[in-house]
Structures are given as C-alpha cells and as structure tokens.
Amino acid sequence: MKKTIYLAGGCFWGVDAYFNQLKGILETEAGYANGNSVKTTYEKLKITDHAETVKLIYDDEKISLSDILEYFYYIIDPFSINKQGNDIGRQYRSGIYSKDKKDLEEARNFLEKKQREENQKIQVEIEELKHYLKAEEYHQDYLKKHPNGYCHINLMDLPDLSKLQEN
C-alpha cells in the first residue's frame, strides 16, 4: 500500500538522494513544510520559517515506516538544533511530519526508544503536517543532476538495518 511521510533532515538534496536509493521508496520530492505561511520560496525560507523537507511516498509492503525512521535517524545528527552538516538555520531543522496520527505516534515511540539509549536530548520535532509546498524544479533530484554538489550525507553508506536496530 502506498503511504507518505515527510522528513526534514537538513539540506533536502542529500535526504532526497539517500532515500531514492532504498527499495520500497516509490517517489521523493524536495519541498518546504510547516512554516508560518502557505507560500514560500527558497529565498524566503528564513522569513517564512519552513523546513527543507522531503516528501517520501513508499510501499509499506516493501519498506516499513520503522525502517525509514531507522535510516533517517542514521543520516542526521539527532542532537543538533537548526543545523545539519555545514548548513545552519531553522530551515535545516530536523523533523518528521505527517497527516496520519498513527504515523506520528509511531515516530514518537521510535524517538522515545532512541532517547532511552542516548545521553543527549534528541532535537527532532514531530508534528502534524500543516502544509507542504513542492520546491522549485531545480531542487528536484539535484544530486542526480549535479553529482559533485554539496551533501552532508554519505550517500554510499547504506547500513544493514538489523545492526542499526540492535542498538
């Protein structure tokens, strides 16, 4: 069955490229979520307070939300506030967004379990998706179009999930 989740993990170029490699991910799209207005552009993110976000459409019979959350947690610095890699600002905050209350509850449970294993406070926001806007076309599949573009995520590092989930 097709499902959708929205993940903000710093610059959306890397998050988009990373998840596009995974089996069960049907489609990704770079966009902006949960700002203080229903419109924005890349240039206005600091004013509108949107997070750079990737819309993930996935087949939950091939990849579970739990697995997606494990990969997401692996590629971000979950303790960082408004920063991932060299990107600094509220538009680079980490977040998990959905309109599905069950998915939000699963995300909360996931992060609560992770928090019990950590010594620092996890700074990933979990919120109902208020609104989402597709980013400008030049942001779509950016790292496919520009393979040497900046990315704070190691795109070649696809860990064995069973090892991640043992921790």
Side-chain angles (χ1 to χ4, degrees):
M1 183 171 120
K2 272 188 181 182
K3 294 198 69 178
T4 305
I5 192 79
Y6 299 79
L7 302 176
C11 174
F12 47 27
W13 297 341
V15 177
D16 176 69
Y18 191 86
F19 279 97
N20 256 317
Q21 301 177 85
L22 302 179
K23 289 186 171 118
I25 302 297
L26 304 174
E27 185 181 331
T28 63
E29 179 181 271
Y32 312 115
N34 284 17
N36 56 28
S37 68
V38 294
K39 289 184 178 180
T40 196
T41 64
Y42 183 71
E43 292 76 20
K44 294 180 181 175
L45 291 179
K46 287 183 181 180
I47 298 166
T48 62
D49 198 39
H50 286 80
E52 287 195 16
T53 302
V54 174
K55 176 182 180 180
L56 291 180
I57 299 174
Y58 64 99
D59 180 342
D60 72 342
E61 293 176 9
K62 294 184 179 170
I63 188 168
S64 67
L65 178 56
S66 174
D67 288 349
I68 289 170
L69 294 173
E70 282 288 353
Y71 280 116
F72 177 67
Y73 191 81
Y74 183 76
I75 62 171
I76 63 168
D77 174 353
F79 313 111
S80 181
I81 299 172
N82 301 332
K83 178 183 182 307
Q84 290 293 320
N86 294 326
D87 298 312
I88 300 171
R90 283 236 345 126
Q91 69 268 34
Y92 301 114
R93 66 190 180 268
S94 297
I96 302 167
Y97 312 114
S98 179
K99 289 191 177 275
D100 186 320
K101 292 187 187 312
K102 288 180 185 174
D103 288 349
L104 293 172
E105 186 62 28
E106 183 172 344
R108 279 187 198 93
N109 291 338
F110 174 85
L111 287 182
E112 286 170 7
K113 179 178 183 256
K114 291 291 187 191
Q115 186 62 71
R116 289 192 292 272
E117 301 165 1
E118 302 288 3
N119 294 323
Q120 300 176 63
K121 183 170 177 10
I122 294 173
Q123 302 292 335
V124 178
E125 64 185 21
I126 300 171
E127 293 182 359
E128 182 177 350
L129 182 72
K130 295 175 191 122
H131 45 76
Y132 169 83
L133 304 150
K134 181 179 177 180
E136 296 81 357
E137 194 54 41
Y138 70 91
H139 289 298
Q140 306 306 322
D141 297 314
Y142 185 87
L143 292 175
K144 279 185 191 171
K145 299 173 198 168
H146 304 78
N148 295 321
Y150 167 74
C151 181
H152 67 286
I153 296 169
N154 179 350
L155 299 177
M156 302 318 233
D157 190 8
L158 292 169
D160 178 347
L161 271 187
S162 63
K163 290 185 177 152
L164 284 181
Q165 293 168 340
E166 287 172 2
N167 296 334

